[in-house]
Amino acid sequence: MTETKRFFNPVGKSVPRIDGRGLVTGESKFTYDLKFNGMLVGKMIRSPHPHAKVIRIDTTKAQQLPGVKAVVTARDTNQIKFGSNEYFFPHTVDQLALESEKVRYIGDEIGAIAAETEEIAEAALKLIEVEYEVLPAVFDVFEAIKPGAPQIHAHCRNNIGVILPVNFGNPNRGLRESDYVREDIFYSQAAAHACMETHVCIGQWETYSDKITMWISHQAPFKVREALAKCLKINLNNIRVIKMPSGGGFGGKLEMLPMDFSACLLSKKAGGVPVKMCYSRQEEFSFSRRKHNMHYKLKSGVRKDGKLMAITGEVYADGGAYCSYGPTVMAAATMRIFMVYNLEHLRITGYRVYTNKPISGAIRGFGGVQSGFSIESHMDLLAEGIGMDPVEFRLKNITGPNMVTKNKMIISSNGLKECIEAATEKSGWKQKRGKQRHLARGIGIGIAADVMGSKMYKSHESAGAIIKIEEDCSVYLFTGAADTGQGSNTALSQIAAQELGIGFERISCTAADTEITPFDTGSFASRVTFISGNAALLAARDAKKQILEIVADKHECKAQDLDIVAEEVIVKADGSVLCSFDKAVELCYSFDYGKQIIGRGSYNPKTTPIDFRTGEGNVSGSYGFEAQIVEVEVDTETGKIKILKLWDAHDVGKAINPSSVESQVEGSVVMGLGYTLFEDLEFHNGRVANASFAKYKVPRSGIIPPIETIMIETNDPQGPFGAKGMGEAALLPTAAAIANAIYDAVGIRLKELPFTPDKVIKALEEKQNHNHKDEVE
Amino acid sequence: MTTLIINKKQYQLELKGHETLLEVLRDHLGLTGTKTSCQDAECCACTVIINGKAVLACITLACDVEGAEILTIEGLARGDELHPLQTAFLEKGAVQCGFCTPGMIMASKALLDRNPQPDQQQIRDALDGNLCRCAGYSKIFEAVSYAAELMRGAQKGKEAHD
């Protein structure tokens, strides 16, 4: 077998990354690595106060410093607001490129400076004079919603920026008809994305052509273009956003930062030279985006036979100073329950509250991680209340294939049951559950479901792709999907090669340059393999059709009777070979035909709009499912939790690239472990108190447990070759699975994340005191 | 003038006393494979090898390593031929965003050079400072073990040939 033949039919094979060589040799240029003649360095002018009126900004002295080339403030902007959920939630569009009258968190941007060097820019920042009138600030969600609390935004009297009610059935009746009802409150903390590459962009606004070019590390370059166009009042086709190789995103690089607008404004003011802006690590922790810390109050009921009757609850999320992806986060925190549990009665209301803290936004799973922890812990408590095994309880209540949920989500393929069964079998659940307490060891489960895209920020959610076949039979795939490390360039190329019937090596992938590649909403909501993958599939199909039409014309047969398999054009009926792929392409570019092969694909998933007054609607074209089981050991002396092993059974539809699937699961799970055990973005009077890797701990190599990924293939009817997205789901149930395992190990129920040793010790002591009291009584 | 020996090449540079090796590599020499992430010795993305030891370029003053043998990620492959660690990282799927990869590979190389047959714990210990936020580490450990195998194989092949 030759090297080329190895990756015929690449779908389902662990093909190495298409862009991997540049990454392992250090050759790939990331945004910060770019250098241009005359390029300036930009820095943001930030508020030192959590809440204040801006009375006066004087930039004169800074402008006079030698080496300073431009200073911009709100006066240089069009004062047009930007946001992330414009289409359905126009009132949440609440942030200005540069604030003019008021600042709402420590770090709020009121201006920017461009200078020849970083040192000069830093020195100039110190010369900026700003007069503030400091206002009372509020940092706590429950304080912020009290009457008389400082009002952060003029349009929002009680500081509740988003209310998302989900209301179905008759929850009161559901609770009445339950044999066991319980209430629980859970708390999930704030956390940071902590991408290895901090936020970075280079903006150039050419003075004469009025054209903007932006090089950026981003998950949604077309969203960058859209926001620049709107706020800077420029046509879309005069803006070129080039997504560079990006060092992680995880939702943190999904929206605009004032820095992105500022780079362009500074460039224009400095005469059109490029301006590079890059967050330091401290800025990254303090001023980018963060996870919403959430309080989750639940009251639910079950029947003795295990039937889950009703879930009711309230979610309070600390949104920080601006709305960002607030609505999407709240939707994920509430509506997701219907994807997992087959439920008649659900009433849950999400409140997203403004505070004078750094802005909460999208982070892997949106609000699904916080809800996953709360709901899945709560489910174990309900099961315990009726004396039922948590696995058995879940199997009785989960959603299944080919069903419409109470809120009209249309679920086609659904491997949740298979996931639970596979994970319990592989982990030895039956042999271990409740049987290792003498060793302080326990086993716990959590389950989850995820969307494949979410039509929440635009009217459509389409992805486009173009396939161009060159005269030497090499193939271009142009996609607007932004690979920020997840490997989408590779997966989409595998899909295209498979459909074209050619070797994977023939494809080169050009991704996410708004001037060259077709539109794509971006990398979020686990949508790329499913949606952009379908676009790549359609483009390849179109290109193939064009080739086959020419071959059919030449051979006087019908194109629909032909196919390309393993780089040969065959007659479908008998498999006989008409010619090689190379000859077919040669024919297309021959004297007689001279036809360029340019295939196009555009895909928009079949969904229905959500009614945000009730939570009804089919938000995604398909749904993914998983079950996670964790085995832990608790050190009752130190309070340390050791993860012994983790099993993640995942309904991936079809694994386009099994190694990438494993890698997504492992990466997700490790992020989940960090969040569960120690990650905690702390604030002191609105300021991030642990803005460094030394103080904000992320998982290191030492804590990584064995992780077994079990792929369940359900062949989704809508997915490209049956595939679904799966980048986020694996971290949704991790915290609950660990909490449930800790309970199994030592009998303590932790309801507040993260599970640091001090909390474990405290809970163990409380349990001991409680037992002691019981004995005395 | 300061003489730096980087990837077996000599550079004569006029350096300021406070310039770090990371700044010199990236800003003066255009060797941007070594990444800037925390600039405070907390993430090891800027790991290079100096006289056989893994060192953080962000806290190393360039003038302090005059005359030393400095190896960066750019010095690993021989022409088109990747170093076994690079091959292993690719084949084992140990690369996601790739931002931590140069540092990971350099730290791994320093390990394998002093210990050609590390066990799992030794690999974990050697990489404990190198942060990766994407891949969850397991495939990185696997890649280092595999690279060690490849390197031992190559060494045996070479001995047999000799």
Side-chain angles (χ1 to χ4, degrees):
Chain A
M1 203 186 266
T2 67
E3 200 61 21
T4 321
K5 288 251 177 192
R6 246 177 76 195
F7 293 128
F8 279 168
N9 301 320
V11 162
K13 295 189 181 130
S14 294
V15 173
R17 291 182 63 108
I18 198 164
D19 43 8
R21 265 183 100 88
L23 296 172
V24 297
T25 55
E27 212 169 46
S28 295
K29 296 282 182 207
F30 290 70
T31 308
Y32 192 62
D33 301 334
L34 297 179
K35 243 183 182 179
F36 297 110
N37 281 340
M39 186 163 74
L40 303 174
V41 178
K43 286 277 162 195
M44 299 308 296
I45 305 169
R46 296 179 182 282
S47 161
H49 305 292
H51 200 192
K53 274 187 191 162
V54 182
I55 308 295
R56 184 181 62 90
I57 308 178
D58 188 349
T59 61
T60 326
K61 281 185 194 159
Q63 273 170 310
Q64 285 163 353
L65 187 73
V68 171
K69 298 294 178 188
V71 180
V72 292
T73 63
R75 281 198 296 272
D76 300 286
T77 69
N78 295 315
Q79 305 264 345
I80 297 171
K81 288 179 177 171
F82 69 97
S84 296
N85 288 95
E86 270 192 87
Y87 188 72
F88 287 108
F89 297 88
H91 68 282
T92 65
V93 175
D94 59 3
Q95 194 174 6
L96 285 166
L98 294 168
E99 294 298 329
S100 55
E101 291 168 2
K102 207 173 152 181
V103 286
R104 298 176 177 88
Y105 82 106
I106 294 174
D108 212 347
E109 292 90 345
I110 54 168
I113 290 173
E116 284 167 357
T117 66
E118 191 158 349
E119 291 73 23
I120 298 172
E122 296 277 5
L125 277 181
K126 294 187 182 122
L127 299 175
I128 299 283
E129 291 170 9
V130 189
E131 192 186 320
Y132 293 101
E133 180 193 327
V134 176
L135 300 169
V138 63
F139 306 115
D140 177 77
V141 167
F142 297 111
E143 291 297 322
I145 58 175
K146 277 185 188 162
Q151 191 176 334
I152 298 170
H153 287 270
H155 71 271
C156 191
R157 194 173 287 276
N158 54 7
N159 289 322
I160 300 177
V162 180
I163 301 180
L164 215 79
V166 180
N167 201 344
F168 287 91
N170 185 341
N172 291 342
R173 202 182 83 209
L175 291 176
R176 270 201 314 275
E177 290 172 0
S178 299
D179 296 310
Y180 177 69
V181 174
R182 66 170 293 134
E183 289 178 60
D184 291 298
I185 299 177
F186 298 93
Y187 177 72
S188 305
Q189 81 281 26
H193 305 82
C195 302
M196 291 311 295
E197 182 200 34
T198 59
H199 279 81
V200 56
C201 73
I202 299 170
Q204 181 170 27
W205 192 338
E206 287 166 310
T207 330
Y208 300 109
S209 60
D210 211 26
K211 184 181 165 161
I212 288 179
T213 307
M214 172 153 276
W215 296 261
I216 190 165
S217 169
H218 213 272
Q219 296 170 244
F222 286 89
K223 196 169 163 56
V224 174
R225 183 182 67 159
E226 188 180 281
L228 290 175
K230 180 189 163 202
C231 296
L232 305 179
K233 291 190 176 172
I234 295 200
N235 289 343
L236 291 174
N237 69 356
N238 241 15
I239 301 173
R240 181 178 188 183
V241 178
I242 302 168
K243 184 217 68 94
M244 300 299 295
S246 299
F250 317 117
K253 293 174 181 165
L254 195 47
E255 57 188 309
M256 296 298 284
L257 294 180
M259 172 177 97
D260 307 326
F261 299 104
S262 300
C264 301
L265 293 166
L266 287 167
S267 169
K268 188 179 190 183
K269 217 167 186 183
V273 288
V275 176
K276 183 192 275 187
M277 303 196 82
C278 183
Y279 271 17
S280 69
R281 183 54 60 187
Q282 185 260 335
E283 287 175 301
E284 185 72 15
F285 276 113
S286 306
F287 313 129
S288 54
R289 292 289 185 266
R290 65 176 177 97
K291 183 175 246 146
H292 291 71
N293 43 316
M294 277 190 204
H295 298 264
Y296 224 100
K297 298 181 178 180
L298 290 167
K299 181 179 182 182
S300 309
V302 285
R303 250 178 10 211
K304 269 185 207 151
D305 63 358
K307 168 81 184 149
L308 181 60
M309 296 301 291
I311 297 178
T312 67
E314 284 179 340
V315 186
Y316 290 89
D318 177 356
Y322 297 97
C323 216
S324 173
Y325 272 95
T328 322
V329 168
M330 298 318 288
T334 52
M335 287 164 49
R336 199 186 289 264
I337 298 167
F338 274 127
M339 301 174 205
V340 184
Y341 292 103
N342 191 2
L343 197 61
E344 277 292 305
H345 312 295
L346 173 71
R347 181 177 61 227
I348 191 157
T349 309
Y351 301 92
R352 186 187 187 276
V353 182
Y354 287 120
T355 58
N356 293 114
K357 276 155 68 185
I359 306 158
S360 304
I363 179 166
R364 206 172 196 172
F366 286 79
V369 173
Q370 299 92 321
S371 87
F373 165 56
S374 310
I375 295 285
E376 288 302 293
S377 297
H378 190 57
M379 288 301 135
D380 258 40
L381 287 160
L382 288 168
E384 194 196 15
I386 53 166
M388 189 174 274
D389 176 78
V391 168
E392 193 191 338
F393 175 70
R394 284 177 174 83
L395 284 171
K396 273 186 191 293
N397 289 293
I398 51 172
T399 54
N402 304 315
M403 67 173 283
V404 179
T405 66
K406 186 85 184 174
N407 70 329
K408 303 274 164 64
M409 287 174 174
I410 301 162
I411 297 176
S412 44
S413 67
N414 181 340
L416 187 49
K417 181 169 173 276
E418 291 83 346
C419 288
I420 295 174
E421 286 167 352
T424 44
E425 197 204 312
K426 290 266 185 187
S427 63
W429 174 271
K430 280 187 184 146
Q431 297 79 45
K432 289 175 181 168
R433 175 77 186 181
K435 299 187 179 86
Q436 304 186 95
R437 208 170 260 198
H438 59 291
L439 300 167
R441 284 186 183 182
I443 194 163
I445 187 170
I447 60 176
D450 200 11
V451 292
M452 256 92 266
S454 147
K455 208 179 281 182
M456 282 196 65
Y457 107 83
K458 265 185 107 62
S459 55
H460 66 99
E461 208 202 342
S462 70
I466 294 169
I467 291 276
K468 242 171 79 183
I469 300 180
E470 298 299 311
E471 285 173 272
D472 65 352
C473 304
S474 62
V475 179
Y476 278 112
L477 165 64
F478 294 96
T479 168
D483 196 334
T484 52
Q486 73 273 39
S488 61
N489 287 353
T490 310
L492 300 187
S493 300
Q494 286 177 261
I495 289 169
Q498 179 85 19
E499 180 61 22
L500 271 170
I502 60 168
F504 174 73
E505 296 75 8
R506 290 198 190 254
I507 297 208
S508 80
C509 182
T510 302
D513 175 334
T514 64
E515 193 162 278
I516 297 171
T517 64
F519 178 89
D520 190 296
T521 49
S523 289
F524 58 92
S526 306
R527 65 179 285 285
V528 173
T529 303
F530 184 74
I531 297 176
S532 314
N534 265 318
L537 178 86
L538 293 171
R541 191 169 289 166
D542 187 26
K544 182 161 80 175
K545 185 167 163 263
Q546 293 173 30
I547 297 171
L548 294 179
E549 275 167 3
I550 287 172
V551 175
D553 186 68
K554 179 80 179 172
H555 290 263
E556 294 177 351
C557 56
K558 285 181 184 158
Q560 61 262 38
D561 294 337
L562 306 178
D563 199 0
I564 304 174
V565 175
E567 298 197 350
E568 283 172 334
V569 179
I570 59 154
V571 179
K572 279 195 242 177
D574 57 8
S576 62
V577 177
L578 278 188
C579 65
S580 67
F581 173 73
D582 290 38
K583 285 285 173 207
V585 174
E586 199 180 292
L587 187 65
C588 296
Y589 286 100
S590 65
F591 190 94
D592 288 345
Y593 291 97
K595 182 160 162 40
Q596 297 193 25
I597 305 300
I598 306 168
R600 60 175 284 278
S602 172
Y603 182 78
N604 190 39
K606 283 178 197 146
T607 56
T608 56
I610 306 167
D611 181 343
F612 288 103
R613 293 163 304 181
T614 60
E616 184 174 293
N618 186 37
V619 66
S620 174
S622 175
Y623 298 88
F625 302 89
E626 66 158 328
Q628 205 167 88
I629 289 181
V630 185
E631 191 175 359
V632 305
E633 186 178 283
V634 181
D635 185 329
T636 52
E637 297 286 314
T638 63
K640 272 193 164 179
I641 294 156
K642 189 178 179 196
I643 310 295
L644 300 173
K645 189 165 178 181
L646 192 146
W647 296 261
D648 186 82
H650 219 109
D651 170 9
V652 297
K654 163 82 187 168
I656 300 289
N657 186 321
S659 169
S660 275
V661 168
E662 279 173 7
S663 201
Q664 282 297 308
V665 167
E666 289 164 9
S668 253
V669 161
V670 168
M671 210 172 239
L673 294 180
Y675 185 66
T676 308
L677 300 179
F678 44 76
E679 285 189 40
D680 191 356
L681 197 67
E682 295 167 34
F683 306 94
H684 181 66
N685 290 332
R687 187 187 302 276
V688 175
N690 51 348
S692 69
F693 279 130
K695 291 178 181 161
Y696 182 95
K697 284 199 246 167
V698 299
R700 288 174 186 268
S701 63
I703 76 145
I704 306 305
I707 298 167
E708 189 174 332
T709 304
I710 305 152
M711 291 173 224
I712 305 290
E713 297 196 324
T714 51
N715 285 310
D716 189 79
Q718 309 293 330
F721 298 104
K724 301 184 186 186
M726 46 74 59
E728 293 175 290
L731 115 140
L732 307 183
T734 309
I738 294 173
N740 295 338
I742 293 170
Y743 183 77
D744 187 44
V746 290
I748 56 169
R749 175 53 64 178
L750 299 175
K751 295 182 179 177
E752 197 175 303
L753 284 165
F755 305 152
T756 47
D758 57 313
K759 285 185 194 149
V760 174
I761 291 291
K762 193 169 161 239
L764 284 168
E765 282 169 3
E766 276 168 13
K767 184 185 163 235
Q768 207 162 11
N769 292 341
H770 190 74
N771 290 350
H772 185 67
K773 221 173 105 193
D774 285 352
E775 277 167 31
V776 173
E777 281 168 4
Chain B
M1 288 295 245
T2 311
T3 307
L4 292 184
I5 307 163
I6 300 165
N7 302 333
K8 301 207 166 116
K9 260 200 215 164
Q10 283 208 6
Y11 296 88
Q12 298 283 326
L13 296 159
E14 216 162 302
L15 299 178
K16 295 183 193 116
H18 62 77
E19 278 181 299
T20 64
L21 179 60
L22 182 62
E23 287 166 332
V24 171
L25 289 173
R26 295 180 52 88
D27 301 342
H28 294 259
L29 304 174
L31 295 170
T32 55
T34 306
K35 295 299 175 207
T36 306
S37 181
C38 75
Q39 293 184 286
D40 213 6
E42 291 167 358
C43 75
C44 300
C46 65
T47 305
V48 297
I49 294 177
I50 300 179
N51 293 339
K53 275 180 142 177
V55 169
L56 302 182
C58 75
I59 49 157
T60 302
L61 288 177
C63 49
D64 280 356
V65 289
E66 178 161 27
E69 289 275 347
I70 302 166
L71 184 70
T72 72
I73 188 73
E74 287 91 348
L76 234 54
R78 281 189 204 159
D80 274 356
E81 195 191 328
L82 295 180
H83 185 275
L85 270 163
Q86 293 169 317
T87 306
F89 267 63
L90 269 184
E91 286 189 13
K92 295 291 169 189
V95 181
Q96 272 199 35
C97 80
F99 202 83
C100 73
T101 306
M104 283 284 180
I105 289 180
M106 297 315 281
S108 305
K109 179 168 192 307
L111 167 70
L112 296 186
D113 286 349
R114 64 171 190 273
N115 178 2
Q117 210 161 342
D119 61 28
Q120 278 297 308
Q121 194 54 47
Q122 287 165 327
I123 293 173
R124 281 172 183 246
D125 290 348
L127 298 181
D128 198 48
N130 289 72
L131 298 184
C132 164
R133 193 60 165 163
C134 298
Y137 299 97
S138 301
K139 291 197 183 299
I140 295 171
F141 305 151
E142 223 178 288
V144 178
S145 293
Y146 179 56
E149 233 174 83
L150 291 178
M151 285 163 79
R152 289 197 302 273
Q155 188 61 31
K156 269 186 200 155
K158 202 174 149 213
E159 279 162 17
H161 188 73
D162 291 346

